[in-house]
Amino acid sequence: MIRAGIIGGTGYTGGELLRILSKHPEVEVVAVTSRREKGRKIHEVHPHLKGFYEIEFIEPDIDRLSECDVVFTAVPHGEAMRYVPELYESGLKVVDLSADYRLRKDKYEEAYGKTHEAYIEAVYGLTELHREEIAKARLVANPGCYPTGAILAAAPLAELELIERVIFDSKSGISGAGVSPTEFTHYPNLHEAIVPYKITDHRHYYEMEQELGRFQEDVRISFTPQVFPGSRGILTNAHIFLKGELEQDELEKIYRKFYDCSYFIRFQKAVRLSYVRGSNFADISINRGADRAVVVSAIDNLVKGASGQAVQNMNVMFGLDEWAGLDFPPLFP
Amino acid sequence: MIRAGIIGGTGYTGGELLRILSKHPEVEVVAVTSRREKGRKIHEVHPHLKGFYEIEFIEPDIDRLSECDVVFTAVPHGEAMRYVPELYESGLKVVDLSADYRLRKDKYEEAYGKTHEAYIEAVYGLTELHREEIAKARLVANPGCYPTGAILAAAPLAELELIERVIFDSKSGISGAGVSPTEFTHYPNLHEAIVPYKITDHRHYYEMEQELGRFQEDVRISFTPQVFPGSRGILTNAHIFLKGELEQDELEKIYRKFYDCSYFIRFQKAVRLSYVRGSNFADISINRGADRAVVVSAIDNLVKGASGQAVQNMNVMFGLDEWAGLDFPPLFP
Amino acid sequence: MIRAGIIGGTGYTGGELLRILSKHPEVEVVAVTSRREKGRKIHEVHPHLKGFYEIEFIEPDIDRLSECDVVFTAVPHGEAMRYVPELYESGLKVVDLSADYRLRKDKYEEAYGKTHEAYIEAVYGLTELHREEIAKARLVANPGCYPTGAILAAAPLAELELIERVIFDSKSGISGAGVSPTEFTHYPNLHEAIVPYKITDHRHYYEMEQELGRFQEDVRISFTPQVFPGSRGILTNAHIFLKGELEQDELEKIYRKFYDCSYFIRFQKAVRLSYVRGSNFADISINRGADRAVVVSAIDNLVKGASGQAVQNMNVMFGLDEWAGLDFPPLFP
Amino acid sequence: MIRAGIIGGTGYTGGELLRILSKHPEVEVVAVTSRREKGRKIHEVHPHLKGFYEIEFIEPDIDRLSECDVVFTAVPHGEAMRYVPELYESGLKVVDLSADYRLRKDKYEEAYGKTHEAYIEAVYGLTELHREEIAKARLVANPGCYPTGAILAAAPLAELELIERVIFDSKSGISGAGVSPTEFTHYPNLHEAIVPYKITDHRHYYEMEQELGRFQEDVRISFTPQVFPGSRGILTNAHIFLKGELEQDELEKIYRKFYDCSYFIRFQKAVRLSYVRGSNFADISINRGADRAVVVSAIDNLVKGASGQAVQNMNVMFGLDEWAGLDFPPLFP
């Protein structure tokens, strides 16, 4: 059994890691940390998991975590870099769910306007794009939720340098905003609403630019995120203006080839968030219009957009089946 | 024109007073207070009201409010009693939307387990029950949202002392919890949920007991509140076990007689929150079963359950038509 | 008093016309038709309007409608053209809420792939764009809900021929789908979802092309509609790629000038559907990014997107204040 | 491997059986029927299950089903009785998810006002109450969703004959209304709503009366169902008026003893539908008030309230662990 630890186990991504790993056939969670909740049982913080864990939250203590084979860091951006270097040096494997190691150093410093004080080179953990490097990596930077949905929708065309311009108009469930109440998550502010935010300057843009730019240097990307009244899910409309003529069936061929052997990519005539809810699938539909192609992707932001993909990456890092412990069906309706 | 002031104009009930009074034919809002927002325009805090007010928030200052003919206090429980006595003494009329003056002194002290340090006798402002006293009152205590829905559903039978036992199972939109984000109002905690709270000990119980007890001394009341995924509305199921035999048509006759000439009471075959949304109506349906009668009432918690009824009371206090400025239709669907 | 008739009074737009006109100071609704519901009182079909109307639904009968000064046709596309020509010939004024008269004949036939058998030239009733023609018109074609939100967001830039390309990504409440249950409106299919449909080929595209094309012949438009979990509202992200350099403040100046004296256009730092809900306002925010401007518009699809704008047009046709009967505030939260 | 068949595989309970059984370690689904969809792949009707099944829907044909070890009938009430007798006679085991075999013959005929033409004695499949009989049964009648939540909340007190009166006020997600669009499931009719229906005469009452009456003959039950804006979940408030004095801790002791060894019953300080969503758990909280105890239960109506419990019953019938294939955690948030 792989011994897993989680730094920051009280948030939504921590809870989701616990949910998924509770049934993973090859993993045992041996340590979960929380400064605030240390000494409490898992189910006192995550009542839905009552009956699944007997352990208690502990202080984030590298010594106690060093008995792990893998550690997931599920703490806020900026905080992960306090743990990752030491964990990395101690020789175990790390999957970081924060934004701290997703960008190359130069891009990070452009995006954040400051020096990265604890930089280590990581592999960007969009599994479908980087399987081989992930298999050899000791530090995987798990992608952002929006970039996961966006990059998956455009990568096959970027690889062939066919994109003139792409506009990602993305809609997320509010769980992406985390477990702490804010004006943003206040029920009446989201009720019967669809709320764009950081309309032209969300930092997830840089991940999209970095990853799609690997394929196609001149790719032009625009991105607007928004939240919709729901807890889970990200639906992304990728409005893609193409270089050259490409019919519907050619587009489909390109996508199917690119994602050949990718267990978690499914093509649907029409995607629905409820078709992927609770699962690690990324569903994709391709819609060729007269002016552009609209590729729509649907993921569960907490699974494929966070904790599920983290486990998928762990599977690859340890040579397991990519879908080990993740091959459960979505929850519809 | 009646000159109106609002103490505490930044919350949902304050915003709703501003919405309603903006079109009231006999009222001009001349002062709105907010410690935190003083100096800002109304629409900077309530963007939906852009174009409706030119005034700014001011400090809560009794001197400046004393030019008003009526003041609405829309501040939290416990805070209203800091303003009401002085306002009252200055001779103007007061409608208090807090819980501070709803209960008789003895009942208040039972409910809150402490002495009421600033007690004044007020008229309980459930307009349909106390019109005549309200017309003569200078201080009206506007009812709680749950008690409004509950008392309206049971009063006609209590008046005839026909209730053996009544269980109020009430469901409220979350706007009743106010404008400040909390765990309770955090979107993922209410999504696809129905959340009972203070299941056997909500303080609104005391208002129900006081008001129904005026009619029928031995009335036995049970009450459980809960929130449902929505912003506005309170639906109350009053499960009423009756003394004696009463058929459907007799029940209907009793209710129609009791609410004769009550503009805002409407009888519906089936009530829906969307049939009253945004309006001051209280819709009622009567359902006689083999074992009990279930009277279902529907109100908008921010209108008939708060600011609308406050204006209704003001209308009565000033001798206007009860429905002046309130006779707008609900927003369906 | 203006005597108004409504053909097709049982749907959401019919109900909304009845809601709005019930308080219009210059209008009396004298006839409402419904084949299916004839003989029933208004409130038997629209229980929320109980107390507001005493009339009954009648057969759609041109003779009885000819006593009206204005008739609103609120029937499905394709059906309006059965009534409009005869109404038009009888000399009264007509506001058609269907799609039958919105497009010029040639564009209609391109969009629908068939001959328009009952064509009459109408004025396109986006009031802010065509006030002067509407004032003289006898037949006004009320715009589609999506085009209203989209065109308002882009017209000021189109007028100056500054648009290189615009992508409208629009999200609508489900009330736009009408009062009849379908797979599309089935609750579990929309719960926690955001559902794109007619992703590249919605017919509302043609209205956008016609109206923005009046200003700027070479405008390139893309449009994708979707529904979100809510009843009312359309939020439109207009991703506008500009010709030439234009800073935030220049953009704002252009928009403010274009909409000078337009009562129903409000500029907000951030728009929210709840800031316009139930009202005829169209709120707009302008967001200049490095690559593009994103203009976001918010309307209530049943008010500014349908029945409210129909009344606004009627006001203009009869020389009333544009906002007569429409100057009520939105319902927030 | 147990060979399972499903009659009626296109509805929500059919889909949920397919979801659960896809990962059941001891079961293979070999036949799924649908008159309308025969010849189509499972995922063409249930796109969320893409990748999980290769079989096609077949005609409901007893011959082809007779190769099964167990058949689940997931067809509407009244239709199951067309299949069950023949299946039963063919010697295989049957779990019927309809209402056709839940009530004893006399009670059925009282409830439905007609003769049961195809009556067979079945075991009522509320697993926690009838494990031993289920283990020996060949026909198990799977309980209704509301009765599951209600009976679990009251059975421990009924067993001790401690109930003077119980009022079940239950709130269900709309998926219980099935996959076909109706006025009831029309999104705008449920948005921001809580809709009571069959307020005093829902047929599920008879199941509650039959099962609680087994324990306590004189139990007095009242029941009102309603739907809330959500897809899944039933929350039941059991307002229980007790015979005799019973403190909180005594109540807790009674419940814990009654449900000792029941894997799927969990006690929570406060139940939430999101703590059981997607799982077979029934969470219970006990709240002793001055006047009554309120026992609140939360289940997923499609899992513990339908297909999950059906699999739980199958497990017991075949001597498997009760939780085989069902021990997955809930989906929160």
Side-chain angles (χ1 to χ4, degrees):
Chain A
M1 296 289 273
I2 297 165
R3 297 168 65 80
I6 299 168
I7 298 186
T10 60
Y12 289 145
T13 52
E16 199 66 352
L17 281 168
L18 288 163
R19 176 178 80 93
I20 293 167
L21 294 175
S22 73
K23 306 306 297 177
H24 195 296
E26 309 288 343
V27 176
E28 186 189 6
V29 177
V30 296
V32 186
T33 82
S34 165
R35 279 221 172 74
R36 211 184 45 194
E37 306 290 355
K38 68 174 169 180
R40 297 183 72 197
K41 296 274 190 192
I42 300 291
H43 73 259
E44 293 179 270
V45 174
H46 298 296
H48 64 297
L49 296 178
K50 192 164 189 178
F52 288 88
Y53 286 98
E54 279 311 305
I55 58 175
E56 291 169 1
F57 287 99
I58 61 169
E59 277 275 2
D61 172 346
I62 303 290
D63 280 354
R64 294 191 59 180
L65 289 161
S66 64
E67 57 175 330
C68 296
D69 302 306
V70 63
V71 169
F72 297 90
T73 44
V75 291
H77 311 318
E79 206 176 318
M81 60 177 76
R82 288 200 250 149
Y83 300 106
V84 167
E86 204 175 341
L87 289 167
Y88 187 80
E89 277 158 35
S90 79
L92 47 74
K93 292 179 181 175
V94 179
V95 181
D96 176 28
L97 283 84
S98 86
D100 286 358
Y101 293 91
R102 290 177 194 157
L103 299 176
R104 284 190 312 264
K105 194 162 188 298
D106 57 333
K107 206 170 265 296
Y108 179 93
E109 295 178 349
E110 179 193 346
Y112 288 83
K114 62 176 181 188
T115 308
H116 194 311
E117 303 287 359
Y119 187 74
I120 305 169
E121 198 172 341
V123 175
Y124 189 78
L126 193 51
T127 329
E128 283 73 14
L129 266 63
H130 297 290
R131 267 190 201 94
E132 293 184 18
E133 301 133 277
I134 294 166
K136 291 177 272 181
R138 280 210 301 111
L139 172 58
V140 169
N142 215 54
C145 50
Y146 288 119
T148 296
I151 297 166
L152 288 174
L157 292 170
E159 194 199 26
L160 301 175
E161 304 193 56
L162 288 169
I163 299 176
E164 182 200 302
R165 177 187 287 295
V166 54
I167 295 97
F168 295 115
D169 195 288
S170 302
K171 297 91 186 175
S172 175
I174 193 69
S175 62
V179 79
S180 298
T182 65
E183 297 260 320
F184 198 54
T185 70
H186 188 54
Y187 195 95
N189 290 344
L190 190 52
H191 171 72
E192 200 173 27
I194 176 109
V195 183
Y197 65 104
K198 295 185 183 168
I199 289 173
T200 61
D201 58 358
H202 194 288
R203 273 178 184 147
H204 279 176
Y205 167 82
Y206 292 93
E207 293 181 46
M208 300 172 193
E209 191 194 47
Q210 170 179 288
E211 292 301 309
L212 294 176
R214 287 186 208 266
F215 293 122
Q216 180 181 342
E217 218 175 313
D218 67 343
V219 68
R220 288 190 293 174
I221 298 171
S222 303
F223 169 52
T224 293
Q226 51 224 298
V227 286
F228 72 87
S231 185
R232 284 171 179 258
I234 291 183
L235 189 123
T236 301
N237 288 351
H239 301 274
I240 305 178
F241 296 90
L242 295 162
K243 292 182 172 171
E245 301 296 307
L246 281 163
E247 298 301 317
Q248 176 75 22
D249 58 345
E250 292 170 290
L251 288 169
E252 289 182 12
K253 223 174 286 173
I254 289 168
Y255 275 75
R256 286 183 191 280
K257 187 171 168 212
F258 189 91
Y259 289 122
D260 190 32
C261 300
S262 284
Y263 179 88
F264 292 112
I265 307 295
R266 303 190 302 188
F267 295 96
Q268 302 275 14
K269 273 184 203 163
V271 306
R272 294 279 171 90
L273 289 174
S274 52
Y275 296 164
V276 300
R277 187 181 299 139
S279 84
N280 200 51
F281 291 103
D283 281 6
I284 289 173
S285 84
I286 298 164
N287 308 275
R288 183 64 169 111
D291 55 335
R292 72 206 190 285
V294 183
V295 181
V296 188
S297 71
I299 60 169
D300 185 314
N301 61 310
L302 294 179
V303 189
K304 182 62 180 170
S307 306
Q309 186 154 249
V311 173
Q312 186 184 1
N313 284 324
M314 183 208 71
N315 286 341
V316 175
M317 292 164 92
F318 284 86
L320 306 177
D321 284 341
E322 195 173 309
W323 53 84
L326 287 168
D327 58 344
F328 44 83
L331 189 68
F332 169 91
Chain B
M1 293 292 272
I2 297 165
R3 296 167 67 78
I6 299 169
I7 298 186
T10 60
Y12 289 146
T13 52
E16 199 67 352
L17 281 168
L18 287 164
R19 176 179 78 92
I20 293 168
L21 294 175
S22 73
K23 306 307 296 177
H24 195 296
E26 309 287 344
V27 176
E28 185 189 7
V29 178
V30 295
V32 186
T33 83
S34 166
R35 278 223 171 71
R36 212 183 45 197
E37 306 290 356
K38 65 175 171 179
R40 297 182 72 198
K41 296 272 190 193
I42 299 291
H43 73 259
E44 292 179 272
V45 173
H46 298 294
H48 63 298
L49 296 178
K50 190 164 189 177
F52 289 89
Y53 286 98
E54 279 311 306
I55 58 175
E56 290 170 5
F57 287 100
I58 60 169
E59 277 275 4
D61 173 344
I62 302 290
D63 280 354
R64 293 191 57 180
L65 289 161
S66 63
E67 57 174 330
C68 296
D69 302 306
V70 62
V71 169
F72 297 91
T73 45
V75 291
H77 311 318
E79 206 177 316
M81 59 176 80
R82 289 200 249 149
Y83 301 106
V84 168
E86 204 175 342
L87 290 167
Y88 186 80
E89 277 157 35
S90 79
L92 47 74
K93 292 180 181 174
V94 179
V95 181
D96 176 28
L97 284 82
S98 85
D100 286 358
Y101 293 92
R102 291 177 196 157
L103 299 177
R104 284 190 310 264
K105 194 161 190 295
D106 57 333
K107 207 170 265 297
Y108 180 92
E109 296 178 350
E110 179 193 346
Y112 288 82
K114 62 176 182 189
T115 308
H116 194 310
E117 303 286 0
Y119 187 74
I120 304 169
E121 198 172 341
V123 174
Y124 189 79
L126 194 51
T127 329
E128 283 73 15
L129 266 64
H130 296 292
R131 270 191 198 94
E132 294 184 17
E133 300 133 278
I134 294 166
K136 291 176 274 181
R138 280 209 301 111
L139 172 58
V140 169
N142 214 53
C145 51
Y146 288 119
T148 296
I151 296 166
L152 288 174
L157 292 170
E159 194 200 26
L160 301 176
E161 303 194 58
L162 287 169
I163 299 176
E164 184 199 301
R165 178 187 285 298
V166 54
I167 296 96
F168 295 115
D169 195 287
S170 302
K171 298 91 186 172
S172 175
I174 193 67
S175 62
V179 78
S180 297
T182 65
E183 297 259 321
F184 198 55
T185 69
H186 190 53
Y187 194 95
N189 291 344
L190 189 53
H191 171 71
E192 201 174 26
I194 176 110
V195 184
Y197 65 103
K198 297 188 183 167
I199 290 174
T200 61
D201 57 359
H202 193 288
R203 274 178 183 148
H204 279 176
Y205 167 82
Y206 292 94
E207 293 181 46
M208 300 172 193
E209 193 194 45
Q210 169 179 290
E211 292 301 309
L212 295 176
R214 286 187 209 264
F215 293 122
Q216 179 181 345
E217 216 174 315
D218 68 342
V219 69
R220 289 190 294 174
I221 298 170
S222 303
F223 169 52
T224 292
Q226 51 225 297
V227 284
F228 73 86
S231 186
R232 284 172 179 256
I234 291 183
L235 188 123
T236 301
N237 288 352
H239 301 275
I240 305 179
F241 295 90
L242 295 163
K243 292 182 173 172
E245 300 296 308
L246 281 163
E247 298 302 316
Q248 176 76 22
D249 57 347
E250 293 169 291
L251 288 170
E252 290 181 11
K253 222 173 287 173
I254 289 167
Y255 275 75
R256 285 183 191 280
K257 187 171 167 212
F258 189 91
Y259 289 121
D260 190 32
C261 300
S262 283
Y263 178 89
F264 292 111
I265 307 295
R266 303 190 302 188
F267 295 96
Q268 301 273 14
K269 273 185 203 163
V271 306
R272 293 280 172 88
L273 288 174
S274 52
Y275 296 164
V276 299
R277 187 182 299 138
S279 84
N280 201 51
F281 291 103
D283 281 5
I284 289 175
S285 85
I286 298 165
N287 307 273
R288 183 62 170 114
D291 56 334
R292 72 202 189 287
V294 183
V295 181
V296 188
S297 71
I299 60 169
D300 184 314
N301 60 310
L302 294 180
V303 190
K304 182 62 180 170
S307 305
Q309 186 155 247
V311 173
Q312 187 184 359
N313 284 323
M314 183 207 71
N315 286 341
V316 175
M317 292 165 91
F318 284 86
L320 307 176
D321 283 340
E322 195 173 311
W323 52 84
L326 288 168
D327 57 345
F328 44 81
L331 190 69
F332 169 90
Chain C
M1 296 289 273
I2 296 165
R3 298 168 65 78
I6 299 168
I7 298 186
T10 61
Y12 288 146
T13 52
E16 200 66 352
L17 282 168
L18 287 164
R19 176 177 80 90
I20 294 167
L21 294 176
S22 72
K23 307 305 298 176
H24 196 296
E26 308 288 343
V27 176
E28 186 188 9
V29 178
V30 296
V32 186
T33 82
S34 166
R35 278 223 172 70
R36 211 184 44 196
E37 306 290 355
K38 66 174 171 182
R40 296 184 73 198
K41 295 274 190 192
I42 299 291
H43 74 258
E44 293 180 90
V45 173
H46 299 295
H48 64 299
L49 296 179
K50 191 165 188 177
F52 289 88
Y53 286 98
E54 279 311 306
I55 58 176
E56 291 170 3
F57 288 99
I58 60 170
E59 278 275 3
D61 172 346
I62 303 290
D63 279 353
R64 293 192 54 181
L65 290 161
S66 63
E67 56 175 329
C68 296
D69 301 306
V70 61
V71 169
F72 298 91
T73 45
V75 292
H77 311 318
E79 205 176 318
M81 62 176 77
R82 288 199 250 148
Y83 301 105
V84 167
E86 204 175 342
L87 290 167
Y88 186 80
E89 277 158 37
S90 79
L92 46 75
K93 292 179 181 176
V94 179
V95 181
D96 176 28
L97 283 84
S98 85
D100 287 358
Y101 293 91
R102 292 177 194 156
L103 299 176
R104 285 190 310 265
K105 193 161 191 295
D106 57 334
K107 205 169 267 294
Y108 180 93
E109 295 178 350
E110 178 193 346
Y112 288 83
K114 63 178 180 186
T115 308
H116 194 311
E117 303 287 0
Y119 187 74
I120 305 170
E121 198 173 342
V123 174
Y124 189 78
L126 195 50
T127 328
E128 283 73 16
L129 266 63
H130 297 292
R131 271 190 198 95
E132 294 185 18
E133 299 133 279
I134 294 167
K136 292 177 271 181
R138 280 211 299 111
L139 172 58
V140 169
N142 215 55
C145 49
Y146 288 118
T148 296
I151 296 165
L152 288 174
L157 292 170
E159 195 199 26
L160 301 174
E161 303 192 58
L162 287 169
I163 300 175
E164 182 199 303
R165 177 187 286 298
V166 55
I167 296 95
F168 296 114
D169 194 288
S170 303
K171 299 88 184 175
S172 175
I174 193 68
S175 63
V179 78
S180 297
T182 64
E183 297 259 319
F184 198 54
T185 70
H186 188 54
Y187 193 95
N189 290 345
L190 188 53
H191 172 71
E192 201 174 26
I194 178 108
V195 184
Y197 66 102
K198 296 186 184 170
I199 290 173
T200 60
D201 57 358
H202 193 288
R203 273 177 184 150
H204 279 175
Y205 167 82
Y206 291 94
E207 292 181 47
M208 301 172 195
E209 192 194 48
Q210 169 180 289
E211 292 301 310
L212 294 176
R214 287 185 207 265
F215 293 120
Q216 179 180 344
E217 216 175 316
D218 68 343
V219 68
R220 287 188 295 173
I221 298 170
S222 301
F223 169 52
T224 292
Q226 50 225 298
V227 285
F228 72 88
S231 186
R232 283 172 180 257
I234 290 183
L235 189 123
T236 300
N237 288 351
H239 302 275
I240 306 179
F241 296 91
L242 295 162
K243 292 184 173 171
E245 300 297 307
L246 280 163
E247 299 302 317
Q248 176 76 23
D249 57 347
E250 293 170 289
L251 288 169
E252 289 180 12
K253 220 173 291 174
I254 290 168
Y255 275 75
R256 285 183 192 279
K257 186 171 168 211
F258 189 91
Y259 289 122
D260 190 33
C261 301
S262 284
Y263 179 89
F264 291 112
I265 306 295
R266 302 189 304 188
F267 296 95
Q268 302 273 11
K269 272 184 203 165
V271 306
R272 291 280 171 88
L273 288 174
S274 52
Y275 297 164
V276 300
R277 188 181 300 138
S279 84
N280 201 51
F281 291 102
D283 280 7
I284 288 174
S285 85
I286 298 164
N287 308 272
R288 183 63 169 112
D291 55 334
R292 73 204 189 286
V294 182
V295 181
V296 188
S297 70
I299 60 169
D300 183 316
N301 61 310
L302 294 180
V303 190
K304 182 63 180 169
S307 305
Q309 186 155 246
V311 173
Q312 186 184 359
N313 284 323
M314 181 208 72
N315 286 341
V316 175
M317 293 164 91
F318 284 86
L320 306 176
D321 283 341
E322 195 173 311
W323 52 84
L326 287 169
D327 57 346
F328 45 82
L331 190 69
F332 169 89
Chain D
M1 294 291 272
I2 296 164
R3 298 167 64 81
I6 298 168
I7 298 186
T10 60
Y12 288 146
T13 52
E16 199 66 353
L17 282 168
L18 288 162
R19 176 179 79 93
I20 294 168
L21 294 175
S22 73
K23 306 305 297 178
H24 195 295
E26 309 288 344
V27 176
E28 186 189 7
V29 177
V30 296
V32 186
T33 82
S34 165
R35 277 222 173 73
R36 211 183 44 195
E37 306 290 355
K38 67 174 170 180
R40 297 183 72 197
K41 296 274 190 192
I42 299 291
H43 73 259
E44 293 180 271
V45 173
H46 299 294
H48 64 299
L49 296 178
K50 191 163 188 180
F52 289 88
Y53 285 98
E54 280 311 307
I55 58 175
E56 290 169 3
F57 288 99
I58 60 169
E59 277 274 3
D61 171 345
I62 303 290
D63 280 353
R64 294 191 57 181
L65 289 161
S66 64
E67 57 174 330
C68 296
D69 301 306
V70 61
V71 169
F72 297 90
T73 44
V75 290
H77 311 317
E79 204 176 320
M81 62 176 77
R82 288 199 249 149
Y83 300 107
V84 168
E86 205 176 341
L87 290 166
Y88 186 80
E89 276 159 35
S90 80
L92 47 74
K93 292 179 180 173
V94 179
V95 180
D96 175 29
L97 283 84
S98 86
D100 287 357
Y101 293 91
R102 292 177 194 158
L103 299 176
R104 284 190 310 266
K105 194 162 190 295
D106 57 333
K107 205 170 265 298
Y108 180 93
E109 295 178 348
E110 180 193 344
Y112 289 82
K114 62 176 179 187
T115 308
H116 194 312
E117 304 285 1
Y119 187 73
I120 304 170
E121 198 173 341
V123 174
Y124 189 78
L126 194 51
T127 329
E128 283 73 14
L129 266 63
H130 297 291
R131 270 189 198 96
E132 293 185 19
E133 300 132 278
I134 294 167
K136 290 177 275 182
R138 281 211 298 112
L139 172 59
V140 169
N142 214 54
C145 50
Y146 288 119
T148 296
I151 295 166
L152 288 173
L157 292 169
E159 194 198 26
L160 301 175
E161 304 193 57
L162 287 169
I163 299 175
E164 184 199 301
R165 176 187 287 297
V166 54
I167 296 94
F168 295 115
D169 195 288
S170 303
K171 298 89 186 175
S172 175
I174 193 67
S175 63
V179 78
S180 297
T182 64
E183 297 259 321
F184 198 54
T185 70
H186 189 54
Y187 195 93
N189 291 344
L190 189 53
H191 171 72
E192 201 174 25
I194 176 108
V195 184
Y197 65 103
K198 295 186 184 169
I199 290 175
T200 61
D201 57 358
H202 193 287
R203 273 177 185 151
H204 279 177
Y205 167 82
Y206 292 94
E207 292 181 48
M208 301 173 193
E209 191 195 48
Q210 170 179 290
E211 290 301 310
L212 294 176
R214 285 186 209 265
F215 293 121
Q216 179 182 342
E217 217 174 315
D218 68 343
V219 68
R220 287 189 294 174
I221 298 169
S222 302
F223 169 53
T224 294
Q226 51 225 296
V227 286
F228 72 88
S231 185
R232 282 172 180 256
I234 291 183
L235 188 122
T236 301
N237 288 351
H239 302 275
I240 306 180
F241 296 90
L242 295 163
K243 292 182 173 172
E245 301 295 308
L246 280 164
E247 298 301 316
Q248 175 76 22
D249 58 347
E250 293 170 289
L251 288 170
E252 289 182 11
K253 221 173 289 173
I254 289 168
Y255 275 77
R256 285 183 192 280
K257 186 169 168 213
F258 189 91
Y259 290 122
D260 190 35
C261 301
S262 282
Y263 178 89
F264 290 112
I265 307 294
R266 303 190 303 188
F267 295 97
Q268 302 274 14
K269 271 184 205 163
V271 306
R272 292 280 172 90
L273 288 175
S274 52
Y275 295 165
V276 300
R277 188 182 299 138
S279 84
N280 201 51
F281 291 104
D283 281 6
I284 288 174
S285 85
I286 298 164
N287 308 274
R288 182 63 169 113
D291 55 334
R292 71 205 191 286
V294 182
V295 181
V296 188
S297 71
I299 60 170
D300 184 314
N301 61 310
L302 294 180
V303 190
K304 182 63 180 169
S307 305
Q309 186 156 250
V311 173
Q312 186 183 0
N313 283 323
M314 181 208 72
N315 286 342
V316 174
M317 292 165 90
F318 283 86
L320 307 176
D321 283 340
E322 196 173 311
W323 53 84
L326 287 168
D327 56 346
F328 45 81
L331 190 68
F332 169 91

